[in-house]
Short mmCIF file of all heavy atoms in Angstrom, two decimals:
data_model
loop_
_atom_site.label_atom_id
_atom_site.label_comp_id
_atom_site.label_asym_id
_atom_site.label_seq_id
_atom_site.Cartn_x
_atom_site.Cartn_y
_atom_site.Cartn_z
N THR E 12 -12.35 8.44 9.28
CA THR E 12 -13.13 7.25 9.64
C THR E 12 -12.78 6.07 8.75
O THR E 12 -12.70 4.93 9.23
CB THR E 12 -14.64 7.54 9.55
OG1 THR E 12 -14.95 8.05 8.26
CG2 THR E 12 -15.06 8.54 10.60
N GLU E 13 -12.56 6.33 7.46
CA GLU E 13 -12.14 5.25 6.56
C GLU E 13 -10.78 4.71 6.96
O GLU E 13 -10.54 3.50 6.90
CB GLU E 13 -12.10 5.74 5.12
CG GLU E 13 -13.45 6.06 4.53
CD GLU E 13 -13.35 6.72 3.16
OE1 GLU E 13 -12.34 7.41 2.90
OE2 GLU E 13 -14.29 6.56 2.37
N LEU E 14 -9.90 5.61 7.36
CA LEU E 14 -8.56 5.20 7.78
C LEU E 14 -8.62 4.33 9.04
O LEU E 14 -7.92 3.33 9.15
CB LEU E 14 -7.67 6.41 8.04
CG LEU E 14 -7.22 7.19 6.80
CD1 LEU E 14 -6.56 8.49 7.21
CD2 LEU E 14 -6.29 6.35 5.95
N LYS E 15 -9.48 4.70 9.97
CA LYS E 15 -9.62 3.92 11.20
C LYS E 15 -10.19 2.54 10.92
O LYS E 15 -9.76 1.54 11.52
CB LYS E 15 -10.47 4.67 12.22
CG LYS E 15 -9.74 5.86 12.81
CD LYS E 15 -10.56 6.57 13.85
CE LYS E 15 -9.80 7.75 14.41
NZ LYS E 15 -10.57 8.46 15.44
N LYS E 16 -11.14 2.45 9.99
CA LYS E 16 -11.70 1.14 9.61
C LYS E 16 -10.63 0.29 8.95
O LYS E 16 -10.50 -0.91 9.23
CB LYS E 16 -12.88 1.32 8.68
CG LYS E 16 -14.12 1.84 9.34
CD LYS E 16 -15.25 2.00 8.34
CE LYS E 16 -16.46 2.66 8.98
NZ LYS E 16 -17.54 2.89 8.00
N LYS E 17 -9.86 0.91 8.07
CA LYS E 17 -8.79 0.18 7.37
C LYS E 17 -7.73 -0.30 8.36
O LYS E 17 -7.23 -1.41 8.26
CB LYS E 17 -8.15 1.11 6.33
CG LYS E 17 -7.21 0.45 5.42
CD LYS E 17 -7.77 0.44 4.03
CE LYS E 17 -6.76 -0.13 3.09
NZ LYS E 17 -7.33 -1.22 2.33
N ARG E 18 -7.40 0.56 9.34
CA ARG E 18 -6.42 0.18 10.36
C ARG E 18 -6.93 -1.01 11.18
O ARG E 18 -6.16 -1.92 11.49
CB ARG E 18 -6.13 1.37 11.27
CG ARG E 18 -5.12 1.05 12.36
CD ARG E 18 -4.77 2.24 13.19
NE ARG E 18 -5.96 2.77 13.85
CZ ARG E 18 -5.95 3.87 14.59
NH1 ARG E 18 -4.86 4.56 14.76
NH2 ARG E 18 -7.06 4.29 15.16
N ALA E 19 -8.22 -1.01 11.49
CA ALA E 19 -8.78 -2.12 12.26
C ALA E 19 -8.71 -3.43 11.48
O ALA E 19 -8.35 -4.48 12.04
CB ALA E 19 -10.22 -1.81 12.66
N THR E 20 -9.02 -3.38 10.20
CA THR E 20 -8.96 -4.61 9.40
C THR E 20 -7.52 -5.09 9.23
O THR E 20 -7.26 -6.29 9.30
CB THR E 20 -9.60 -4.41 8.02
OG1 THR E 20 -8.95 -3.34 7.34
CG2 THR E 20 -11.08 -4.14 8.13
N LEU E 21 -6.60 -4.15 9.03
CA LEU E 21 -5.19 -4.55 8.90
C LEU E 21 -4.64 -5.10 10.20
O LEU E 21 -3.82 -6.02 10.19
CB LEU E 21 -4.35 -3.37 8.41
CG LEU E 21 -4.53 -2.97 6.95
CD1 LEU E 21 -3.71 -1.72 6.64
CD2 LEU E 21 -4.14 -4.09 6.02
N SER E 22 -5.09 -4.56 11.32
CA SER E 22 -4.64 -5.07 12.62
C SER E 22 -5.13 -6.50 12.81
O SER E 22 -4.40 -7.35 13.34
CB SER E 22 -5.15 -4.19 13.75
OG SER E 22 -4.57 -2.92 13.67
N GLU E 23 -6.34 -6.77 12.39
CA GLU E 23 -6.87 -8.13 12.49
C GLU E 23 -6.09 -9.07 11.57
O GLU E 23 -5.77 -10.19 11.95
CB GLU E 23 -8.36 -8.14 12.12
CG GLU E 23 -9.00 -9.49 12.20
CD GLU E 23 -8.99 -10.11 13.59
OE1 GLU E 23 -9.04 -9.35 14.58
OE2 GLU E 23 -8.92 -11.35 13.69
N GLU E 24 -5.79 -8.61 10.36
CA GLU E 24 -4.98 -9.42 9.44
C GLU E 24 -3.59 -9.69 10.02
O GLU E 24 -3.07 -10.80 9.87
CB GLU E 24 -4.84 -8.72 8.09
CG GLU E 24 -6.09 -8.71 7.25
CD GLU E 24 -5.88 -7.99 5.94
OE1 GLU E 24 -4.75 -8.01 5.40
OE2 GLU E 24 -6.85 -7.40 5.44
N LEU E 25 -3.01 -8.69 10.66
CA LEU E 25 -1.70 -8.85 11.28
C LEU E 25 -1.75 -9.89 12.40
O LEU E 25 -0.88 -10.74 12.51
CB LEU E 25 -1.19 -7.51 11.83
CG LEU E 25 0.15 -7.52 12.54
CD1 LEU E 25 1.26 -7.97 11.60
CD2 LEU E 25 0.45 -6.15 13.11
N PHE E 26 -2.79 -9.84 13.20
CA PHE E 26 -2.97 -10.81 14.27
C PHE E 26 -3.06 -12.23 13.70
O PHE E 26 -2.38 -13.15 14.17
CB PHE E 26 -4.22 -10.48 15.08
CG PHE E 26 -4.55 -11.49 16.13
CD1 PHE E 26 -3.80 -11.55 17.30
CD2 PHE E 26 -5.59 -12.38 15.95
CE1 PHE E 26 -4.09 -12.50 18.27
CE2 PHE E 26 -5.88 -13.32 16.92
CZ PHE E 26 -5.13 -13.38 18.08
N GLN E 27 -3.88 -12.39 12.66
CA GLN E 27 -4.05 -13.70 12.04
C GLN E 27 -2.73 -14.18 11.42
O GLN E 27 -2.39 -15.36 11.50
CB GLN E 27 -5.15 -13.66 10.97
CG GLN E 27 -6.53 -13.39 11.52
CD GLN E 27 -6.99 -14.48 12.47
OE1 GLN E 27 -6.67 -15.65 12.30
NE2 GLN E 27 -7.75 -14.08 13.48
N ALA E 28 -1.99 -13.26 10.81
CA ALA E 28 -0.70 -13.63 10.19
C ALA E 28 0.30 -14.07 11.26
O ALA E 28 1.06 -15.02 11.05
CB ALA E 28 -0.16 -12.46 9.39
N ARG E 29 0.31 -13.40 12.41
CA ARG E 29 1.22 -13.79 13.48
C ARG E 29 0.86 -15.16 14.03
O ARG E 29 1.76 -15.97 14.34
CB ARG E 29 1.20 -12.76 14.59
CG ARG E 29 1.94 -11.50 14.24
CD ARG E 29 1.91 -10.51 15.38
NE ARG E 29 2.75 -9.36 15.07
CZ ARG E 29 2.63 -8.19 15.66
NH1 ARG E 29 1.71 -7.99 16.59
NH2 ARG E 29 3.42 -7.20 15.32
N ILE E 30 -0.43 -15.44 14.16
CA ILE E 30 -0.86 -16.75 14.63
C ILE E 30 -0.43 -17.83 13.64
O ILE E 30 0.14 -18.86 14.02
CB ILE E 30 -2.39 -16.79 14.83
CG1 ILE E 30 -2.83 -15.83 15.94
CG2 ILE E 30 -2.88 -18.19 15.12
CD1 ILE E 30 -2.33 -16.17 17.32
N LYS E 31 -0.69 -17.58 12.35
CA LYS E 31 -0.30 -18.55 11.32
C LYS E 31 1.21 -18.75 11.28
O LYS E 31 1.69 -19.86 11.06
CB LYS E 31 -0.80 -18.10 9.95
CG LYS E 31 -2.28 -18.25 9.77
CD LYS E 31 -2.70 -17.79 8.39
CE LYS E 31 -4.19 -17.89 8.22
NZ LYS E 31 -4.61 -17.44 6.88
N ASN E 32 1.96 -17.68 11.50
CA ASN E 32 3.41 -17.78 11.49
C ASN E 32 3.90 -18.63 12.66
O ASN E 32 4.84 -19.42 12.50
CB ASN E 32 4.04 -16.39 11.53
CG ASN E 32 5.51 -16.42 11.24
OD1 ASN E 32 5.97 -17.22 10.43
ND2 ASN E 32 6.26 -15.55 11.88
N SER E 33 3.29 -18.48 13.81
CA SER E 33 3.73 -19.25 14.97
C SER E 33 3.41 -20.74 14.80
O SER E 33 4.15 -21.59 15.30
CB SER E 33 3.09 -18.72 16.25
OG SER E 33 1.70 -18.94 16.23
N ILE E 34 2.33 -21.02 14.08
CA ILE E 34 1.96 -22.42 13.82
C ILE E 34 2.79 -23.00 12.68
O ILE E 34 3.02 -24.19 12.60
CB ILE E 34 0.46 -22.52 13.50
CG1 ILE E 34 -0.36 -22.09 14.69
CG2 ILE E 34 0.07 -23.93 13.09
CD1 ILE E 34 -1.85 -21.98 14.42
N GLY E 35 3.24 -22.12 11.80
CA GLY E 35 4.03 -22.56 10.65
C GLY E 35 3.22 -22.66 9.38
O GLY E 35 3.64 -23.28 8.42
N GLN E 36 2.04 -22.04 9.36
CA GLN E 36 1.18 -22.11 8.18
C GLN E 36 1.30 -20.91 7.26
O GLN E 36 0.71 -20.89 6.19
CB GLN E 36 -0.29 -22.23 8.62
CG GLN E 36 -0.61 -23.51 9.33
CD GLN E 36 -2.05 -23.56 9.76
OE1 GLN E 36 -2.76 -22.56 9.75
NE2 GLN E 36 -2.49 -24.74 10.16
N LEU E 37 2.06 -19.89 7.67
CA LEU E 37 2.19 -18.70 6.85
C LEU E 37 3.20 -18.96 5.74
O LEU E 37 4.36 -19.31 6.00
CB LEU E 37 2.64 -17.52 7.71
CG LEU E 37 2.58 -16.14 7.07
CD1 LEU E 37 1.14 -15.79 6.72
CD2 LEU E 37 3.13 -15.10 8.02
N SER E 38 2.75 -18.82 4.49
CA SER E 38 3.62 -19.14 3.37
C SER E 38 4.69 -18.06 3.15
O SER E 38 5.79 -18.36 2.72
CB SER E 38 2.80 -19.32 2.10
OG SER E 38 2.09 -18.12 1.80
N ASN E 39 4.36 -16.80 3.44
CA ASN E 39 5.30 -15.71 3.22
C ASN E 39 5.42 -14.87 4.49
O ASN E 39 4.58 -14.01 4.75
CB ASN E 39 4.83 -14.84 2.05
CG ASN E 39 5.84 -13.80 1.68
OD1 ASN E 39 6.94 -13.77 2.21
ND2 ASN E 39 5.47 -12.91 0.77
N PRO E 40 6.44 -15.08 5.30
CA PRO E 40 6.58 -14.33 6.55
C PRO E 40 6.80 -12.83 6.35
O PRO E 40 6.60 -12.05 7.27
CB PRO E 40 7.80 -14.94 7.23
CG PRO E 40 8.16 -16.14 6.46
CD PRO E 40 7.47 -16.10 5.15
N LEU E 41 7.19 -12.41 5.15
CA LEU E 41 7.37 -10.99 4.89
C LEU E 41 6.04 -10.24 4.87
O LEU E 41 6.01 -9.01 4.94
CB LEU E 41 8.11 -10.77 3.57
CG LEU E 41 9.53 -11.31 3.52
CD1 LEU E 41 10.15 -11.09 2.16
CD2 LEU E 41 10.38 -10.67 4.59
N GLU E 42 4.96 -10.99 4.81
CA GLU E 42 3.62 -10.39 4.85
C GLU E 42 3.41 -9.64 6.17
O GLU E 42 2.75 -8.60 6.20
CB GLU E 42 2.59 -11.51 4.71
CG GLU E 42 1.16 -11.05 4.69
CD GLU E 42 0.21 -12.21 4.51
OE1 GLU E 42 0.58 -13.19 3.85
OE2 GLU E 42 -0.89 -12.13 5.06
N ILE E 43 4.00 -10.13 7.26
CA ILE E 43 3.88 -9.48 8.55
C ILE E 43 4.52 -8.09 8.50
O ILE E 43 3.94 -7.11 8.99
CB ILE E 43 4.53 -10.36 9.65
CG1 ILE E 43 3.71 -11.63 9.84
CG2 ILE E 43 4.63 -9.59 10.97
CD1 ILE E 43 4.34 -12.64 10.77
N ARG E 44 5.68 -8.00 7.89
CA ARG E 44 6.36 -6.71 7.76
C ARG E 44 5.53 -5.74 6.93
O ARG E 44 5.40 -4.56 7.28
CB ARG E 44 7.73 -6.90 7.14
CG ARG E 44 8.50 -5.59 6.99
CD ARG E 44 9.85 -5.79 6.39
NE ARG E 44 9.75 -6.28 5.03
CZ ARG E 44 10.78 -6.66 4.29
NH1 ARG E 44 11.99 -6.63 4.78
NH2 ARG E 44 10.61 -7.09 3.06
N ASP E 45 4.96 -6.22 5.83
CA ASP E 45 4.15 -5.36 4.98
C ASP E 45 2.91 -4.85 5.71
O ASP E 45 2.53 -3.68 5.56
CB ASP E 45 3.73 -6.10 3.71
CG ASP E 45 4.92 -6.40 2.81
OD1 ASP E 45 5.94 -5.70 2.93
OD2 ASP E 45 4.81 -7.34 1.99
N LEU E 46 2.28 -5.71 6.50
CA LEU E 46 1.11 -5.29 7.27
C LEU E 46 1.47 -4.24 8.31
O LEU E 46 0.76 -3.25 8.48
CB LEU E 46 0.45 -6.50 7.94
CG LEU E 46 -0.30 -7.45 7.01
CD1 LEU E 46 -0.68 -8.72 7.74
CD2 LEU E 46 -1.52 -6.77 6.43
#
Side-chain angles (χ1 to χ4, degrees):
T12 54
E13 292 173 331
L14 288 170
K15 288 182 180 180
K16 287 179 186 177
K17 189 113 175 126
R18 180 176 60 184
T20 57
L21 287 176
S22 294
E23 180 62 31
E24 287 179 31
L25 178 62
F26 175 75
Q27 294 298 326
R29 285 181 174 159
I30 296 295
K31 287 180 182 179
N32 192 35
S33 67
I34 297 172
Q36 294 179 347
L37 191 62
S38 60
N39 186 6
L41 296 178
E42 182 179 328
I43 293 173
R44 180 179 65 186
D45 293 338
L46 288 170

